[in-house]
Amino acid sequence: MLQFAQIKFLYLLCLIPISFAIYFYWHSKKEKLLKNLADKRIINTLLPERSVQRTHLKFALYLITLLCFILALAQPQLGTKEEKIKRKGIDIVIALDLSRSMLAQDIAPNRLQKSKLLIQELLKNLDGDRVGLVIFAGAAYTQMPLTVDYSSMLLYLKSLNTNSVPTQGTAIAEAFNQSAALFDEKQRKYKAIILITDGEDHQEDAIDAAQNLATDGVRIFTIGAGTKTGAKIPISNQQNTVTYKKDAEGNDIVTKLNEDILQALAKAGNGNYYNLDNSKLVAKLLSKDIAKIETKTINDKVFTNFVEQYQYFLVLGLLVLFINIFIPYKKR
């Protein structure tokens, strides 16, 4: 099936009907003017070399050339075959906290954006591992099932914000359960969960959930987003001015990183805890941890190889343009 890598250039196709409309208007006006000047037989006598057919032909060739060049710019690709790719890796689920406290700016630009940068860096270091994405706040949801399509993962990641989960809170236990649902229950290894959160307002059953997952062969790595000093939680309003979240007494709420719970979760899940102060360094350390986990052969993903087809449209467009140049407007 033909697809286009640069769909935005297909909007240029509107130039074809616009050009046709301009040409039709110009030609009609010209013919009307000639008709008003003299009879058709007299015009043919005075202008024996005039050829309306050749004018139409050259314009049609011009439209064909324009069409070919636009299609070439859009980079058409054609699927040629399907093949199964065998990879060595493990199954990883990234559980990302989207509670409003992740908007705090005690780490630049803020906790959530820093977490996204970490995931981007981590995906660069992975090779063959299937990755899934779970988002959570007061509830947990599967954003993307396990896949080796890291590009799609990045697209999903860009669209995430604190409004992606309607219920506020930090339901870590539910995030663990939602992540575990993506794994193959029959396998007692090759599995890891990377939890990225500030750890605030967590539920007390998170430790029990981590221990149960560890018993099932899941390694848990926790990433602390924020600082112990903490920061206020910014809230944007319709006037594009920033205010801060307040408590019942009207005081600004300061959200602080809860490292104790995250360290305890990592220990219960036979993993490691890292503070998100340097995303590239943390991604590198996580990659080393993942590399130590026993891998399996992943061959259940089918890929379609796409071959570039733009060169055919480009050559055809140049050929039609070349022919058009040597077709004269006048009769010999």
Side-chain angles (χ1 to χ4, degrees):
M1 183 178 68
L2 191 68
Q3 68 169 19
F4 296 93
Q6 299 291 336
I7 298 178
K8 60 184 179 180
F9 286 110
L10 292 179
Y11 291 111
L12 294 175
L13 290 174
C14 65
L15 293 175
I16 293 176
I18 292 174
S19 300
F20 181 80
I22 293 173
Y23 174 79
F24 180 80
Y25 173 77
W26 168 82
H27 180 74
S28 300
K29 190 174 182 179
K30 180 182 177 182
E31 290 297 314
K32 186 177 180 181
L33 179 62
L34 288 173
K35 187 176 180 181
N36 292 334
L37 289 175
D39 184 77
K40 184 177 181 180
R41 287 177 298 176
I42 298 175
I43 294 296
N44 291 335
T45 303
L46 295 174
L47 302 173
E49 297 179 344
R50 177 173 175 266
S51 175
V52 175
Q53 291 78 11
R54 293 196 180 200
T55 303
H56 290 339
L57 175 60
K58 286 182 69 65
F59 178 72
L61 292 177
Y62 157 75
L63 290 183
I64 294 173
T65 302
L66 181 61
L67 174 63
C68 290
F69 286 167
I70 292 173
L71 292 178
L73 282 173
Q75 289 185 247
Q77 298 173 329
L78 189 64
T80 56
K81 62 179 181 178
E82 291 187 345
E83 59 180 352
K84 287 190 176 181
I85 306 297
K86 287 189 175 182
R87 298 171 179 263
K88 282 282 188 178
I90 66 170
D91 291 339
I92 305 168
V93 176
I94 299 173
L96 178 62
D97 186 356
L98 293 182
S99 58
R100 290 197 180 96
S101 60
M102 293 291 285
L103 296 176
Q105 299 174 349
D106 47 353
I107 54 176
N110 60 42
R111 296 175 181 179
L112 179 56
Q113 293 302 320
K114 190 81 169 183
S115 300
K116 289 184 177 184
L117 289 174
L118 168 64
I119 297 174
Q120 292 175 17
E121 290 296 328
L122 179 62
L123 292 178
K124 291 178 184 178
N125 297 336
L126 297 181
D127 183 21
D129 302 297
R130 294 196 303 180
V131 183
L133 181 62
V134 167
I135 57 176
F136 70 97
Y141 305 91
T142 297
Q143 183 71 15
M144 190 167 185
L146 292 168
T147 179
V148 290
D149 187 357
Y150 300 155
S151 298
S152 296
M153 173 74 75
L154 290 173
L155 287 176
Y156 276 106
L157 192 66
K158 289 180 181 179
S159 64
L160 294 178
N161 55 58
T162 55
N163 295 322
S164 300
V165 180
T167 309
Q168 285 301 302
T170 310
I172 294 177
E174 188 172 342
F176 281 154
N177 294 333
Q178 192 71 24
S179 300
L182 300 180
F183 295 129
D184 186 348
E185 295 180 358
K186 297 179 181 179
Q187 295 177 335
R188 298 187 60 83
K189 48 186 177 179
Y190 321 120
K191 298 178 285 188
I193 294 175
I194 299 174
L195 176 73
I196 307 176
T197 178
D198 53 26
E200 270 210 333
D201 301 326
H202 67 281
Q203 299 170 345
E204 296 299 328
D205 53 352
I207 297 292
D208 294 335
Q211 291 174 341
N212 292 334
L213 287 170
T215 303
D216 196 36
V218 181
R219 298 281 300 277
I220 297 176
F221 302 93
T222 58
I223 311 298
T227 63
K228 289 184 177 181
T229 306
K232 293 182 286 187
I233 304 173
I235 301 175
S236 298
N237 54 32
Q238 295 179 347
Q239 288 75 32
N240 292 324
T241 57
V242 177
T243 58
Y244 295 96
K245 189 175 180 181
K246 302 180 184 299
D247 57 21
E249 298 178 356
N251 300 316
D252 291 335
I253 296 175
V254 176
T255 171
K256 299 179 181 180
L257 172 64
N258 190 342
E259 282 193 318
D260 294 336
I261 182 62
L262 297 180
Q263 290 171 346
L265 289 171
K267 184 177 180 180
N270 296 324
N272 293 319
Y273 164 76
Y274 298 104
N275 183 277
L276 187 55
D277 51 357
N278 186 321
S279 55
K280 288 188 177 181
L281 176 60
V282 174
K284 185 177 180 180
L285 294 173
L286 272 174
S287 300
K288 289 182 178 180
D289 287 334
I290 292 169
K292 295 176 184 177
I293 301 175
E294 185 180 351
T295 60
K296 64 176 179 178
T297 300
I298 302 172
N299 58 3
D300 58 343
K301 277 291 179 181
V302 178
F303 290 84
T304 302
N305 290 333
F306 290 99
V307 178
E308 295 285 352
Q309 305 292 322
Y310 75 91
Q311 62 271 19
Y312 299 111
F313 292 97
L314 182 61
V315 170
L316 179 60
L318 291 173
L319 179 61
V320 174
L321 179 62
F322 182 77
I323 293 172
N324 199 2
I325 290 173
F326 287 93
I327 296 178
Y329 282 99
K330 299 179 181 180
K331 297 176 184 178
R332 291 184 179 180

